[in-house]
Amino acid sequence: MEFFVKSGSPEKQKTGCLIVGVFESRKLSAQAQHIDEISDGYISAIVRRGDMEGKFGQTLLLHNVPHTSCERVLLVGCGKEREFDGSQYKKLSSKTIKFLHETGTTDAISCLPLLNVKGQDLYWKVRFAVEAANDSLYQFEELKSKKSETRRPLRKITLFVDSRADLPEGEKAILHAQAISLGQSLTKDLANLPGNICNPSYLAKRAEELAKHYSAMKTTILDESELEDMGAGAFVSVSQGSDQPGKLICMEYMAGGKGEKPVVFVGKGITFDTGGISIKPSASMDEMKFDMGGAASVFGVMQAIAEMNLPVNVVGVVAAAENMPSGRATRPGDVVTSLSGQTIEILNTDAEGRLVLCDALTYIERYDPDIVIDIATLTGAVIIALGHEASGMMSNHNGLANEIESASEVTNDRVWRLPIWEEYHQQLKSPVADFTNLGGRAAGSITAACFLAKFTKKYRWAHLDIAGTAWNSGAKKGATGRPVPLLSQIVLNRIK
């Protein structure tokens, strides 16, 4: 879909639909009031009859509004004006686009960016209107023999701004939003693919394709035998049980200053997780294709950064493996030596994500990173703690944690910080190795992060547990594309 910004008189625009807001209780927004005056009270007369109360998400499509050049005017309910915040704005933008897409409207002009949104500027309103629109229209139909067809799909949205002076900022917002949406769609596509297609070799191929497309990006692939030779015993203990060889995928985007320390993102890429010898229950095991959601988000943010052509140094590392039971699979009770030299007693082979991640976190020391953020669908315990609204965040550095929290507020891609105090590390004690890969049921998300923290002492690090936010279950089963908006914002915030 194409997006544009424009200033001028909305009523003079020739378009399939003009979108204006109405607040509770039947209070017209400034733009709706303007159209009402032009049309000799046409809108206020309809509102007085009770057809539009202004309740949040309400819609009313008007035809042939007098003295306007548009075919239709769409009134959208914005709820209580004093409570209209960024979260509601994004939801309203999404609802509006979905509604228009089903009405046969091919182009529309939205005045929603002219609304007052608590604490948000023009750039934010334009950018997140575009991101919300793209997110709401995403469909994954790559594997269907018959694709769904919309008779007259929505193709063009023009976002109205106050004046011509606002146009450059609006155009920048669209550029950023389109790039982030592209990355988010890539994340969804990869995560939605089944494990018989999206395996470690497939991810490696997609990383090589990104490097061919973007000149500032370089991709290096380390295969399982190379990982074994270098001593990445934790990683190999997971991948050795599968016929699909594991891969460590390194995507380097170096468009920043020479010698500038990079931001490093590390993604858990378990392309299918049976649990290994500690096999999972069969119910909902199909959703374990989403266990590479962290890796998928690294792909997404790397594409978004490259598409925006940002002057930064960023490295994306994906630890890709398949966790399968076989005669070669690791057994509970086995002890392995990680790339760091630390030994690990494996109590449960279904706690495998931390094993591939720990060697990846040691490997990335060679980049001398400024910050490191790993992203992983690591524990079911985080869903018990935080549900599906926020990702769990743990960090060894308060400044980095604050940086992530700030970006989450901007994007509404929420995180909640959990502690990794020394007391929790006691749950990982082992009688036969340096520590175990499992800390028991209590504080499961925290002890998983404590495990990873043992490999991150040489740099500023944060861990995002996205097990509750990376995908939806049930009738709307599918990847969400989170936390690509959050990760992209972290990089954007660092550009001076």
Side-chain angles (χ1 to χ4, degrees), residues 307-451:
E307 190 71 18
M308 287 185 275
N309 196 28
L310 297 181
V312 291
N313 293 335
V314 181
V315 176
V317 174
V318 167
E322 190 177 57
N323 189 22
M324 298 288 282
S326 74
R328 298 189 306 275
T330 297
R331 298 160 292 261
D334 285 359
V335 175
V336 297
T337 303
S338 68
L339 184 58
S340 70
Q342 298 175 98
T343 59
I344 304 162
E345 181 186 11
I346 299 175
L347 299 184
N348 189 318
T349 63
D350 194 24
E352 84 299 328
R354 63 201 73 180
L355 295 174
V356 297
L357 281 175
C358 73
D359 280 347
L361 289 168
T362 299
Y363 180 84
I364 57 98
E365 289 175 6
R366 66 193 59 205
Y367 291 109
D368 189 21
D370 183 27
I371 61 168
V372 176
I373 300 173
D374 80 72
I375 312 100
T377 52
L378 205 62
T379 66
V382 80
I383 305 174
I384 304 303
L386 300 175
H388 299 282
E389 302 303 320
S391 300
M393 187 261 288
M394 288 134 272
S395 180
N396 64 8
H397 191 272
N398 289 336
L400 175 56
N402 292 338
E403 194 175 330
I404 294 170
E405 287 173 337
S406 175
S408 79
E409 290 298 318
V410 172
T411 58
N412 202 41
D413 191 351
R414 292 181 173 135
V415 301
W416 190 260
R417 190 177 184 183
L418 297 168
I420 47 172
W421 301 325
E422 181 58 36
E423 289 83 353
Y424 290 112
H425 286 255
Q426 303 306 309
Q427 293 176 224
L428 296 172
K429 281 188 173 181
S430 167
V432 297
D434 292 334
F435 41 83
T436 68
N437 76 325
L438 196 68
R441 287 178 61 85
S445 298
I446 290 172
T447 55
C450 288
F451 176 92

Side-chain angles (χ1 to χ4, degrees), residues 216 251-265 302 305 310-316 367 369-371 491 494-495:
M251 296 172 278
E252 301 172 17
Y253 174 86
M254 298 297 187
K258 190 174 181 181
E260 179 183 313
K261 292 185 176 184
V263 173
V264 178
F265 296 118
M302 294 303 292
I305 291 165
L310 297 181
V312 291
N313 293 335
V314 181
V315 176
Y367 291 109
D370 183 27
I371 61 168
V491 176
R494 298 173 71 83
I495 296 174

Side-chain angles (χ1 to χ4, degrees), residues 431-477:
V432 297
D434 292 334
F435 41 83
T436 68
N437 76 325
L438 196 68
R441 287 178 61 85
S445 298
I446 290 172
T447 55
C450 288
F451 176 92
L452 296 177
K454 297 179 184 297
F455 303 86
T456 63
K457 294 177 180 177
K458 295 184 179 180
Y459 46 73
R460 295 187 293 161
W461 158 81
H463 161 65
L464 296 180
D465 192 333
I466 61 170
T469 57
W471 79 91
N472 295 316
S473 299
K476 295 183 178 180
K477 182 172 72 174

Side-chain angles (χ1 to χ4, degrees), residues 100-378:
L100 286 177
H101 192 64
E102 294 168 359
T103 64
T105 301
T106 58
D107 69 288
I109 291 176
S110 175
C111 293
L112 296 184
L114 296 172
L115 297 174
N116 182 38
V117 181
K118 281 183 182 179
Q120 306 300 350
D121 59 12
L122 171 74
Y123 167 88
W124 189 96
K125 288 186 284 186
V126 171
R127 175 180 152 189
F128 287 98
V130 174
E131 287 190 33
N134 284 327
D135 187 43
S136 68
L137 295 180
Y138 172 85
Q139 288 183 300
F140 182 74
E141 296 189 327
E142 184 178 332
L143 305 180
K144 291 187 176 182
S145 58
K146 292 183 180 180
K147 313 293 192 274
S148 61
E149 293 184 8
T150 302
R151 186 173 57 85
R152 297 183 66 204
L154 187 60
R155 300 184 186 280
K156 175 185 172 184
I157 295 287
T158 300
L159 301 165
F160 246 65
V161 295
D162 282 317
S163 68
R164 292 180 63 85
D166 293 324
L167 295 178
E169 191 72 0
E171 287 165 357
K172 181 177 79 170
I174 289 176
L175 175 68
H176 287 177
Q178 290 285 62
I180 293 167
S181 293
L182 187 67
Q184 197 167 11
S185 290
L186 174 60
T187 294
K188 292 178 186 177
D189 286 346
L190 291 174
N192 284 330
L193 285 170
N196 64 318
I197 295 175
C198 184
N199 54 38
S201 296
Y202 179 87
L203 289 178
K205 180 181 176 183
R206 293 299 297 266
E208 289 171 338
E209 289 171 356
L210 278 182
K212 288 179 182 177
H213 188 74
Y214 298 105
S215 59
M217 195 178 294
K218 173 188 171 185
T219 292
T220 304
I221 312 294
L222 280 74
D223 63 27
E224 189 170 315
S225 60
E226 291 175 290
L227 291 166
E228 189 168 14
D229 290 344
M230 72 168 58
F235 188 117
V236 174
S237 73
V238 177
S239 60
Q240 69 187 22
S242 173
D243 290 340
Q244 298 290 339
K247 309 279 184 184
L248 189 68
I249 302 164
C250 306
M251 296 172 278
E252 301 172 17
Y253 174 86
M254 298 297 187
K258 190 174 181 181
E260 179 183 313
K261 292 185 176 184
V263 173
V264 178
F265 296 118
V266 180
K268 172 188 170 184
I270 302 299
T271 57
F272 195 83
D273 182 20
T274 66
I277 297 300
S278 307
I279 199 162
K280 293 177 179 288
S282 59
S284 299
M285 197 196 282
D286 61 290
E287 294 188 4
M288 286 301 97
K289 69 177 185 177
F290 296 120
D291 208 23
M292 43 70 70
S297 70
V298 171
F299 273 86
V301 71
M302 294 303 292
Q303 181 169 34
I305 291 165
E307 190 71 18
M308 287 185 275
N309 196 28
L310 297 181
V312 291
N313 293 335
V314 181
V315 176
V317 174
V318 167
E322 190 177 57
N323 189 22
M324 298 288 282
S326 74
R328 298 189 306 275
T330 297
R331 298 160 292 261
D334 285 359
V335 175
V336 297
T337 303
S338 68
L339 184 58
S340 70
Q342 298 175 98
T343 59
I344 304 162
E345 181 186 11
I346 299 175
L347 299 184
N348 189 318
T349 63
D350 194 24
E352 84 299 328
R354 63 201 73 180
L355 295 174
V356 297
L357 281 175
C358 73
D359 280 347
L361 289 168
T362 299
Y363 180 84
I364 57 98
E365 289 175 6
R366 66 193 59 205
Y367 291 109
D368 189 21
D370 183 27
I371 61 168
V372 176
I373 300 173
D374 80 72
I375 312 100
T377 52
L378 205 62

